[in-house]
Amino acid sequence: MAYSDFTLYSIHREFQLTIEEYDDLFSGVPEALVSSFLTEILHETRPLALAIHTEKARSELIIAPILVELRKLVGHRISLFSGVDFTVAPELGLNGVCDYIITRSPEQLFISAPTLMIVEAKNENIKGGLGQCIAAMLAARIFNQREANSIEIIYGVVTTGSAWRFLSLEGDQVLIDQREYYIDNLGKILGVLLHIVGLETPVVKL
């Protein structure tokens, strides 16, 4: 097996997880200011991605610029990995390539302290990507335990680029936000991402 082979039901069954939907998981998180640079970039790339209408286009032209902006906002105190192999426990099916990984470390040469696992929704089906995302989150937790990283909560996102749905894993409980955030509310998406990496206050001027 691999991350992408898991469904929501199979990940629940295999790892005895409690999975619950939660109303407005990040309702108390403030919006972040969106830089004019990111606004201009997405003004050009978003229509192009939607016109091309492929997962690769949405990844490169919508998702990646937002994550690069996140890294810039926190003064490069986090690292961003894209399309990397993250084989942690193949005997459990926790292996394969992850779309994006955000780590709570500035080290960019290798993965350390993963805190956010991001899955591109296949066929624009966010619900269908939840099992894959939770599997990657479990792998991140195992990785952190092995490395003695004190990260208690692992977060996840399943996104089409235009819609973002957030999850959290703490202990054996997975909370899935009932709400999807859309690209028109980019300030909220960035605010939640800043909250997740534990650096809510940007360190660079917009």
Side-chain angles (χ1 to χ4, degrees):
M1 290 186 74
Y3 301 121
S4 58
D5 294 325
F6 283 101
T7 65
L8 195 56
Y9 175 73
S10 66
I11 198 75
H12 156 74
R13 183 189 61 200
E14 292 291 328
F15 293 93
Q16 292 81 50
L17 298 172
T18 299
I19 300 176
E20 299 178 8
E21 284 193 299
Y22 192 90
D23 186 30
D24 282 340
L25 189 58
F26 296 99
S27 60
V29 175
E31 295 186 16
L33 293 175
V34 181
S35 70
S36 58
F37 177 76
L38 181 59
T39 300
E40 291 171 8
I41 289 290
L42 292 179
H43 180 74
E44 293 293 330
T45 60
R46 182 185 172 195
L48 183 58
L50 297 178
I52 296 172
H53 199 59
T54 64
E55 293 164 13
K56 188 172 187 292
R58 290 194 297 272
S59 173
E60 294 175 346
L61 299 175
I62 301 177
I63 301 172
I66 292 172
L67 299 180
V68 169
E69 177 78 356
L70 172 67
R71 184 168 178 263
K72 177 184 176 183
L73 279 174
V74 299
H76 302 160
R77 288 181 287 168
I78 61 173
S79 294
L80 168 63
F81 297 87
S82 173
V84 296
D85 181 81
F86 189 61
T87 296
V88 174
E91 71 279 6
L92 299 175
L94 302 180
N95 58 277
V97 172
C98 289
D99 294 328
Y100 292 97
I101 301 174
I102 297 288
T103 70
R104 200 176 292 171
S105 163
E107 178 54 64
Q108 193 63 62
L109 294 177
F110 53 83
I111 295 173
S112 61
T115 189
L116 172 63
M117 313 303 284
I118 301 168
V119 168
E120 301 166 30
K122 306 301 184 285
N123 301 315
E124 299 186 68
N125 179 6
I126 285 184
K127 185 176 180 180
L130 293 174
Q132 177 182 349
C133 188
I134 294 169
M137 293 161 69
L138 285 168
R141 182 171 69 183
I142 292 171
F143 180 96
N144 285 324
Q145 289 171 344
R146 289 175 180 171
E147 297 296 318
N149 293 326
S150 58
I151 298 177
E152 295 183 0
I153 305 176
I154 301 295
Y155 292 94
V157 183
V158 181
T159 178
T160 64
S162 296
W164 296 61
R165 194 167 187 187
F166 294 93
L167 308 81
S168 70
L169 168 68
E170 184 173 11
D172 293 325
Q173 183 180 50
V174 177
L175 297 181
I176 302 174
D177 201 341
Q178 288 184 337
R179 181 174 178 181
E180 291 181 6
Y181 294 99
Y182 295 94
I183 196 71
D184 292 338
N185 196 2
L186 183 55
K188 183 66 174 186
I189 293 171
L190 276 173
V192 173
L193 292 172
L194 285 167
H195 173 80
I196 284 172
V197 300
L199 299 167
E200 293 92 335
T201 303
V203 298
V204 297
K205 293 182 179 180
L206 297 172

